[in-house]
Amino acid sequence: MYNKKILIVEDESIIAEDISDSLISLGYRITGMVYSGEEAIESAAQLRPDLVLMDLNLQGEIDGITAAEEIRLRFQIPVVYLTAYADETTLRRVNSTKPFGYIVKPFEEKNLHTTIQLALYRHQYDSLTNLPNRSFLREKLSRVLDGKQELSVVVPVVTLSLDKINRINSTWGHDIGDSVLCTIAQRLTNCMENIDIVARLEAAQFALILKPVAEKQEVAKIAQNILDIVSQGMIVKDCEVYVTASMGICLYPGDGTDGDEMLKNAYIAMYQSQQKGGNTYHFYTAKNASFFINTLLQETSLRHALKSSEFEIYYQPQIEIKTGKMIGAEALVRWNHPERGRVSPGEFIPMAEEMGLIAPLGEWVLETVCRQNQAWQRAGLPPLRVAVNVSARQFERKNFTERVREILTESNLDPKCLELELTESLVLQDEIAAAKAFTVWKDQGIRIAIDDFGTGYSSLSYPKRFPFDAIKIDKTFIRDLADDRQNAAITIAIIQMAHCMNMTVVAEGVENQQELDFLCDHECDEIQGYLFSQALPRAEFEALLKSDKCWELGWRKKETAILSSGLSKQETPNRLGSCYKIG
């Protein structure tokens, strides 16, 4: 740890020069000597020393303690105090800055040397696992890679992240989580036959520099062996715990020119392993890097999108089969990116869920829909029920039920004009919370629908236990109803079951006349899909509302019924009014 750069902050120049001479004789490098807190902060920013020796009593307006705290927070540089003060009040202030050492003047040279060595060691080793930390790793990595470029071997650099460690912390507590980290650190340390160095980066992430190998295939075997070792069970404070890991691997010199680039590229490969569900490894490729960078750019854009009003609500009509009238609509969010144009919901919705942005986005949708629906009614349009999807993250918020009530109150919208759509998995995730929320919403008059019905695990049991008003048949069952006997049977069963439980049935994704005829024949209640209308932007949907359009869904059946009542064929169109024929 010699040859380290040290910044001396001392208001007396003679003392500063004496300290400097002593440290130089011990093998340290002095990057500068300054006399005020302001100069100390400025020098730390410019010179980035490995350690700062800080006197408490300085020139200028900022004392040593204040300057040390600023340096620690901004630059993560360790500080050792050199001071004549040892009173209790000063010590309390000093301790609040988490110093790496405290020496009371006058002191012996060997004590200063020992204190600096301990401070540098503490700064380079993780306090929990006692593994080297990121700063030590970077130094070691630079030395390992130096001179290897001309050799016929590759140096593998690996990053490793424990999968779902937060689940352990939330279930058993952080003490158990910390013990798991220490156990994994010990296991990795015991693999030193193929590993040159193991370091802890942050949280549940580690880095490994493997020993040079001749072929990539050797690295794959080592990586799989590490994954197997990590995934072995462990007993931690009487708890049996299992964890897996995601690993990213890059190979020097092909995948980078220096240590920082190698670590960055290993992270990119590790990210791909996490995206694949964990418990696996991936090698870095340029394609991975491009995907990773694009993903980061998209995530940044997504964070700005809500603030910049780039989202828009589209409305897809829901048609009542018996009357052909539009009696509702489903609200669907769209993203108008300023450069990319329209971004597919299939792309940004999963990203929003992963980033934790789906809850604020969902609340914005709910607020916008309620305000817009009330605005339409104030403009003289008939009341309309609009369905809004509720995400699991949104539902998990403790105040979500109350927030729904507040939004309805703020918008002055009749609760009967709002439908909340929830998925099967959301309901089954916390049945007690779901039951409580449903009771509150039902009392308010809000309609509750189960979305994507039939795609989950307990489709035939939970509708009986929860007060749903409607079941939406997933479009995967509606597709090719005329030719797919299994889809036809499932759809008929859902319709019959729902009607026995006094629930309305809504079919999603109706795209052709054959599907429509099938649903009419089997008395489905409501339908939506491209056969009638795609989701429309607000202005176009508003125009459709004003037109009071009516779809004639059962043209031939209704024609037959009218003719049997004694009317002639010439009179039939008048009785049908302004209905629009489908087919």
Side-chain angles (χ1 to χ4, degrees), residues 115-403:
T115 302
I116 290 174
Q117 288 290 289
L118 289 173
L120 290 171
Y121 179 89
R122 284 181 56 207
H123 184 56
Q124 291 192 302
Y125 280 80
D126 173 57
S127 59
L128 176 64
T129 63
N130 206 35
L131 291 176
N133 64 12
R134 181 184 290 273
S135 343
F136 188 97
L137 174 72
R138 292 175 67 188
E139 288 186 14
K140 176 70 172 179
L141 186 54
S142 297
R143 292 199 297 269
V144 168
L145 300 182
D146 188 30
K148 293 291 193 302
Q149 193 165 2
E150 304 301 325
L151 301 179
S152 60
V153 295
V154 294
V155 179
V157 177
V158 178
T159 53
L160 180 152
S161 178
L162 299 184
D163 301 321
K164 301 176 182 177
I165 190 68
N166 288 336
R167 181 181 297 177
I168 293 174
N169 290 331
S170 60
T171 303
W172 287 309
H174 285 271
D175 288 346
I176 299 293
D178 288 346
S179 296
V180 169
L181 290 175
C182 291
T183 300
I184 297 300
Q186 187 61 49
R187 288 181 180 179
L188 294 174
T189 303
N190 292 339
C191 296
M192 296 308 286
E193 178 183 352
N194 296 306
I195 300 175
D196 194 357
I197 185 172
V198 180
R200 185 189 179 198
L201 300 179
E202 56 262 326
Q205 295 182 353
F206 300 86
L208 301 86
I209 305 175
L210 304 188
K211 293 179 179 178
V213 297
E215 297 180 348
K216 183 177 180 179
Q217 288 79 359
E218 295 180 56
V219 185
K221 293 178 182 179
I222 297 170
Q224 187 57 56
N225 181 54
I226 293 171
L227 289 177
D228 293 340
I229 290 171
V230 169
S231 63
Q232 293 173 5
M234 66 187 82
I235 303 297
V236 181
K237 297 182 180 179
D238 298 326
C239 296
E240 186 175 11
V241 181
Y242 291 86
V243 293
T244 57
S246 299
M247 291 175 61
I249 308 167
C250 66
L251 305 175
Y252 182 85
D255 294 336
T257 58
D258 56 39
D260 287 342
E261 187 177 8
M262 293 294 290
L263 283 174
K264 181 196 73 174
N265 291 341
Y267 260 112
I268 290 172
M270 184 183 75
Y271 178 80
Q272 186 180 11
S273 296
Q274 291 173 328
Q275 294 296 99
K276 297 295 183 181
N279 196 25
T280 188
Y281 64 86
H282 278 86
F283 285 89
Y284 168 83
T285 66
K287 184 178 180 181
N288 290 346
S290 177
F291 173 80
F292 183 77
I293 292 170
N294 287 337
T295 299
L296 288 178
L297 292 173
Q298 290 174 28
E299 289 180 356
T300 301
S301 297
L302 189 57
R303 291 188 184 279
H304 292 302
L306 197 55
K307 300 176 184 177
S308 305
S309 302
E310 295 173 14
F311 289 110
E312 182 181 6
I313 305 297
Y314 276 47
Y315 299 86
Q316 185 170 38
Q318 294 175 331
I319 314 301
E320 186 178 49
I321 286 182
K322 290 182 179 179
T323 64
K325 290 184 174 294
M326 179 170 62
I327 43 81
E330 180 178 1
L332 301 167
V333 65
R334 297 290 185 262
W335 181 14
N336 299 313
H337 193 281
E339 296 174 358
R340 296 176 57 199
R342 179 68 53 76
V343 181
S344 166
E347 181 179 343
F348 76 81
I349 293 295
M351 190 186 303
E353 289 175 344
E354 182 180 339
M355 296 168 60
L357 295 178
I358 196 67
L361 177 59
E363 184 167 319
W364 174 83
V365 171
L366 184 60
E367 291 175 344
T368 304
V369 166
C370 289
R371 287 197 304 268
Q372 182 59 67
N373 200 351
Q374 179 60 21
W376 282 329
Q377 294 183 35
R378 285 198 304 268
L381 294 172
L384 183 77
R385 184 192 70 234
V386 181
V388 176
N389 292 280
V390 176
S391 70
R393 290 284 186 92
Q394 201 174 357
F395 188 75
E396 287 170 0
R397 289 192 167 185
K398 294 181 179 179
N399 66 336
F400 179 64
T401 304
E402 177 63 20
R403 185 68 191 123

Side-chain angles (χ1 to χ4, degrees), residues 448-554:
I448 306 170
I450 190 70
D451 196 16
D452 298 337
F453 186 77
T455 59
Y457 294 103
S458 304
S459 304
L460 298 180
S461 61
Y462 70 88
K464 181 179 178 181
R465 304 197 307 272
F466 297 99
F468 298 117
D469 297 291
I471 284 181
K472 299 193 73 176
I473 306 177
D474 188 71
K475 60 185 178 182
T476 56
F477 299 120
I478 302 302
R479 189 177 300 125
D480 300 325
L481 271 177
D483 302 318
D484 191 319
R485 296 179 61 185
Q486 289 185 336
N487 279 358
I490 292 172
T491 300
I492 293 171
I494 293 174
I495 292 172
Q496 292 176 347
M497 180 194 70
H499 285 169
C500 287
M501 296 179 182
N502 295 318
M503 288 187 282
T504 299
V505 182
V506 184
E508 296 182 293
V510 180
E511 297 185 356
N512 57 57
Q513 184 67 42
Q514 291 75 23
E515 293 168 356
L516 173 61
D517 289 343
F518 183 95
L519 294 167
C520 288
D521 290 341
H522 293 90
E523 299 182 344
C524 182
D525 302 299
E526 300 172 13
I527 43 186
Q528 67 182 83
Y530 282 6
L531 182 61
F532 315 102
S533 174
Q534 61 183 350
L536 301 171
R538 180 192 56 78
E540 292 182 31
F541 183 77
E542 185 174 315
L544 183 62
L545 274 177
K546 291 178 179 178
S547 73
D548 196 25
K549 179 177 179 179
C550 175
W551 283 266
E552 180 46 67
L553 306 181

